[in-house]
Amino acid sequence: MISAVYAALAALLIVWLSLRVIKLRRAKKVIFGDGGETDLQIAIRAQGNATEYIPILLILLALLELSGGHAALLHTGGVAIILGRVVHARGLLRANLHQRVLGMQITIFTLIGLAVANLGYAANAVFW
């Protein structure tokens, strides 16, 4: 299953972002929340943003695969998911606005593309 590969990669990205939060909490001796620490706030948002977008992207990718989506389309969507989320996270963690914006553009266009592809495959199943 193609979508399983990208789900696994996305899970590893979330693990990496989570470990950054844990490391900063330990270093700053913050038990809960962000303790008013800017770098911890940024790390928490990078992790949170990933966990907000990745689930719907993966759901759309898996549904497209279950609908018989072409392998090239699935790999394009999967690569775009990972690329967009990595670029955004790196931009956020490095205070690089250009990377943040690029990462969100990739993510939003991927979300739109996967939604449209799912609608197309669903319409094809209903009408043909």
Side-chain angles (χ1 to χ4, degrees):
M1 198 169 184
I2 293 171
S3 58
V5 172
Y6 297 102
L9 293 172
L12 292 174
L13 174 61
I14 290 172
V15 167
W16 176 70
L17 292 169
S18 298
L19 291 174
R20 289 183 58 86
V21 171
I22 292 166
K23 180 181 176 183
L24 282 169
R25 279 199 175 123
R26 286 183 178 166
K28 304 289 184 177
K29 298 184 183 347
V30 175
I31 296 170
F32 183 78
D34 59 39
E37 299 284 344
T38 302
D39 51 349
L40 183 53
Q41 291 170 352
I42 292 167
I44 289 169
R45 278 313 310 142
Q47 176 196 30
N49 194 275
T51 61
E52 292 162 4
Y53 280 95
I54 288 172
I56 188 62
L57 288 161
L58 291 176
I59 289 168
L60 287 169
L61 188 68
L63 290 172
L64 187 58
E65 185 170 15
L66 291 171
S67 297
H70 191 276
L73 179 59
L74 295 167
H75 283 296
T76 300
V79 168
I81 290 168
I82 301 304
L83 180 64
R85 296 293 70 217
V86 167
V87 170
H88 181 267
R90 287 176 54 103
L92 187 54
L93 295 170
R94 294 179 177 183
N96 183 320
L97 182 60
H98 175 71
Q99 281 187 342
R100 283 181 64 191
V101 170
L102 179 60
M104 281 310 302
Q105 288 173 333
I106 294 168
T107 298
I108 295 297
F109 287 128
T110 303
L111 188 57
I112 292 167
L114 289 171
V116 169
N118 271 283
L119 288 171
Y121 274 86
N124 186 52
V126 169
F127 297 112
W128 288 275

